[in-house]
Structures are given as C-alpha cells and as structure tokens.
Amino acid sequence: MEVSSLAVQRLSMARWQAAGASGGDVLGALAYGTMAGGPAPRGSDQVMHITARLLSDGGPQVDVWRSSGEVEAGRSGDVRWWRDANWLFGTVDLDEARHDMGFEEISRRAYKDIFATLTHGGRPHLLRVWNYVPRINGDGGGLERYRQFNAGRQQAFLEARRPVLEGAPAACALGTPSGPLSIRFLAGRAEPVPVENPRQVSAYRYPRDYGPSAPTFSRAALASLGDGRVALLISGTASIVGHASVHPGDVRAQTRETLRNLQAVIDSARTRCNAPFDIGALDCVVYVRDPADAPAVRETLVQHLGASSHSLRNAVVVQADICRSDLLVEIEAHAVAAGALLA
Ligand code: 3EB
C-alpha cells in the first residue's frame, strides 16, 4: 500500500497566493478572513472560507492540510472530499432554506452523509470536525439551535454505530450570522487517540441542563502522521470547569480559565505520546463573541504566553458566536511534533 503522510501549515493568504500551493497536494484548507483578487493557487478548490470577521492584524490566514502523496477528489451525497492513501478531508454545506427540514434533521442529514463518505471511502475514522452553525444561539422553536444540532449530530453517530462517548472526534462548533450549516472534517485510516481534560466533565457526559442530547466530541485527538510526527488536534476550549461556564461577563477571567483548560488538555495528551507539545507552540484560532473584547483577550494571552511566543505570533482571532450564550471566548488549536503515540 502506498504510504502518505499528512502535514499542516498556517500561511498568510498573501504568501500562499504568491507561492502557489507547492510541496505536496492539498487535501483541504481552512481560510480565516478573505482576500480579494490575486491568482488562485493550486488547490484553491479545497479552500473553505470561514466567513467570520477577522480581528487579528496579520491579515487573512489559511491552514493548509497537505498530503505527501497523490490526492483524488470526489463527491458522495452532499459531501465533497479529497483523499490520499490514508487521509480524507471533506466538506458539507446544507441550507435549511433549501430543504424542507428542521435544524435537528439538517444536522442529522449532514452527519449521515459524512459517515457514508467515510465508510465507503475507506478512511473510516473521524479525527477532527469543524462545525459552523447558523444562528447557533437562536431559538429553534422551543429548543436552542445548538441543542437541536447536538440532537441531530448524536442521532447520526448512533445510527452509524459510531462512538458517542470515548472515541468521539475532536471538534469545534461556532456560530455564523446566516448561511448553511457548514461542516469540515478530517478522517483517517487509523483510529485517533482521544484525549479528555480532568478539569472538565467530558462533553459527551454533560447533564441534561445543557440540552436533551450531549455534544459528541472529545477534548482533543492525537494522530500519528506517518513520518515520525504526531498531531495534537485540540477542540474548541472555553471557560468551563466541571460542566459549568465560569466567570460570566468577565472576558479576561474567561481567557485565563481557557488557558488553564488548554494546559490541562496538553498535559493529558502528553501522557499518551512522547511528543513535546507545549502551550507556547500551538497554531490557535481564537473566537471572540464581541469584537470589542478582542484587545482584552489579546492582552491576557500576551501576559500568559508572551508576545513573541509561536502561539501568539501565529494566532488567528475572529468574531464568532460561541455555543453557550454565557461564553465570551473560545480557543481551538493544533500542533505537530516529532514523536510517537504510546501503546
Ligand atoms: C464546551 O466545552 C464548549 O459541540 O462540537 C467546544 C468544542 C464546544 C466543540 C461541539 C462545543 C463543541 O462545551 C463548546
């Protein structure tokens, strides 16, 4: 069997456009902030634009997921995908206005198509999912739309006989003002190692106070990339201790609590691999609910990580609604380091 390895690189959109997408083939790319004009580099079809307002000053950035091997493209149902011998990056956009379905059903349908893609495409294991939910905190007829999303997502996992507890993928779920339910995902041939945070109740065990169905995600996932490197994919991380949101209304305290949670996830990951993951060496995406809070979030991150840390220099900050209306900030991140998973 052909061996292929996966790499991820965060580039400024300007640099990507200037250099073209060289060095392997593009499986998928997530773009933060948009840039008009310029030539379309190779792999542009695979660029998914996160249509959130950019609050960091580095300009538009793109996370490019590349394969060392050959990439083929395909479609199944509403999913578009790109895959190599070991990895698959996919995308699905479902618009409720164009389907006569409630939001729970739209969410179930999207995940049903994702699982069909994985099962038939030979890359069965979901590692990381990016969920963009239109009007996430809006009312969906008696139930908040994020809670409807959770119900549909969990239902699809159960119907596909996928793990809804230990073994769930890493994920994030952010709000968009309008548009379709947009999901991007990374899958592989090998099962990832799920990571939890001992400071928090696992999200898949949240009590019913947060909705009839618990969210289906792990705090992080570890994956061996196939060339002596390991990826740590950290889910959206917020100011939650146990299962409760803490520091309502205090964005600085929420940011500090989020950093404690990120550190706890990294500590927990380091017991499962020998790669030297460090909170100062992450590629972060920082979601801030209120753009006016961005300077306070940045200041708090500088105090704890240092302005010259990789994590701050490379951070992308964007506006987005967060899945609980009392959360003001959420940070997701990934890192790749030399090492191996422990048995
Ligand atoms: C939390 O810890 C905050 O529903 O997929 C973070 C990451 C959150 C992923 C999801 C939700 C999700 O519960 C919210």
Side-chain angles (χ1 to χ4, degrees):
M1 187 176 67
E2 186 200 344
V3 176
S4 65
S5 58
L6 179 69
V8 58
Q9 196 180 16
R10 179 165 295 180
L11 295 170
S12 73
M13 194 85 87
R15 202 176 135 208
W16 196 46
Q17 289 187 337
S22 58
D25 277 298
V26 177
L27 286 163
L30 295 173
Y32 302 92
T34 47
M35 201 163 95
R42 191 155 64 90
S44 293
D45 280 356
Q46 288 95 311
V47 179
M48 305 301 145
H49 290 276
I50 311 303
T51 57
R53 179 173 150 205
L54 194 64
L55 303 173
S56 39
D57 24 66
Q61 306 283 318
V62 55
D63 284 340
V64 186
W65 296 83
R66 284 205 178 97
S67 164
S68 64
E70 301 250 299
V71 172
E72 59 166 336
R75 271 177 182 277
S76 19
D78 286 303
V79 174
R80 287 192 301 148
W81 51 256
W82 293 265
R83 73 177 179 195
D84 69 2
N86 292 303
W87 309 96
L88 182 147
F89 191 96
T91 172
V92 54
D93 296 291
L94 278 189
D95 193 338
E96 21 185 342
R98 299 180 48 202
H99 294 79
D100 190 21
M101 276 178 223
F103 195 60
E104 176 177 336
E105 185 58 14
I106 283 282
S107 308
R108 189 183 73 87
R109 264 276 302 272
Y111 272 87
K112 186 178 180 210
D113 278 3
I114 291 172
F115 291 133
T117 303
L118 302 186
T119 304
H120 300 130
R123 317 287 177 275
H125 299 289
L126 206 46
L127 276 72
R128 172 67 160 100
V129 188
W130 294 262
N131 299 290
Y132 294 94
V133 177
R135 299 184 293 111
I136 192 166
N137 302 130
D139 177 37
L143 195 62
E144 186 193 29
R145 285 165 61 83
Y146 174 59
R147 297 176 181 207
Q148 294 187 306
F149 167 76
N150 278 324
R153 171 171 58 175
Q154 192 194 75
Q155 187 61 34
F157 270 75
L158 291 169
E159 284 165 359
R161 301 183 181 289
R162 298 277 172 161
V164 294
L165 304 171
E166 282 83 8
C172 56
L174 285 308
T176 57
S178 60
L181 170 64
S182 298
I183 305 176
R184 287 79 184 88
F185 59 96
L186 176 68
R189 268 190 202 280
E191 224 173 306
V193 173
V195 175
E196 287 304 292
N197 173 356
R199 304 182 79 240
Q200 297 182 317
V201 172
S202 293
Y204 46 74
R205 296 190 194 282
Y206 282 167
R208 290 178 62 92
D209 322 20
Y210 306 98
S213 305
T216 308
F217 72 97
S218 295
R219 297 300 177 187
L222 283 165
S224 175
L225 295 187
D227 58 354
R229 293 172 309 131
V230 179
L232 172 61
L233 310 172
I234 304 181
S235 295
T237 302
S239 182
I240 294 175
V241 178
H243 56 69
S245 307
V246 293
H247 317 300
D250 184 345
V251 77
R252 289 174 194 269
Q254 286 201 10
T255 306
R256 287 192 293 271
E257 203 66 69
T258 300
L259 286 168
R260 286 192 279 274
N261 281 327
L262 285 171
Q263 184 63 59
V265 171
I266 291 168
D267 292 346
S268 174
R270 289 195 60 170
T271 68
R272 310 296 302 274
C273 71
N274 60 16
F277 293 116
D278 187 276
I279 197 167
L282 302 174
D283 282 357
C284 298
V285 180
V286 182
Y287 295 97
V288 180
R289 181 184 292 277
D290 180 352
D293 283 339
V297 170
R298 196 190 137 74
E299 245 174 64
T300 310
L301 294 175
V302 166
Q303 280 160 12
H304 288 79
L305 302 172
S308 62
S309 65
H310 173 101
S311 294
L312 258 158
R313 281 187 296 106
N314 252 29
V316 172
V317 185
V318 292
Q319 189 284 324
D321 288 347
I322 295 158
C323 61
R324 290 187 189 179
S325 42
D326 49 10
L327 294 174
L328 303 172
V329 59
E330 181 170 298
I331 301 178
E332 65 183 43
H334 60 260
V336 173
L341 302 176
L342 302 179

